[in-house]
Amino acid sequence: MGRENIISVIARERPEGLSKSYYYFVLNKLKELGLMKDNSINFKAVIPITDDYSHLRGILYITNERK
């Protein structure tokens, strides 16, 4: 998962150029982390941790519930 893809999924319903299956893969990962709830954002801050611009190594975040 690339940083740009995650930001695109958070910002829009389904970005142009992203396959439907990949979009739902990213969306489900964000839901598992508690970052998305009922298809809306559920966080105060998100910082992607990457080696470069294309590979996500982790995410540091604070949810609305302060988790």
Side-chain angles (χ1 to χ4, degrees):
M1 289 191 309
R3 177 173 39 189
E4 292 83 14
N5 292 337
I6 292 171
I7 293 170
S8 296
V9 170
I10 291 171
R12 299 188 242 346
E13 284 195 17
R14 186 168 148 237
E16 188 175 309
L18 208 61
S19 73
K20 189 175 180 179
S21 61
Y22 188 71
Y23 167 78
Y24 283 107
F25 169 76
V26 173
L27 184 61
N28 287 332
K29 289 289 183 186
L30 294 172
K31 285 180 180 182
E32 287 174 14
L33 292 170
L35 296 174
M36 300 293 284
K37 185 176 183 181
D38 300 325
N39 291 336
S40 62
I41 61 172
N42 188 42
F43 60 87
K44 295 186 181 287
V46 173
I47 301 169
I49 301 167
T50 59
D51 283 336
D52 55 29
Y53 288 101
S54 62
H55 294 90
L56 183 70
R57 293 183 50 101
I59 300 174
L60 180 65
Y61 59 91
I62 302 171
T63 66
N64 288 340
E65 290 83 27
R66 299 184 187 260
K67 295 182 182 177

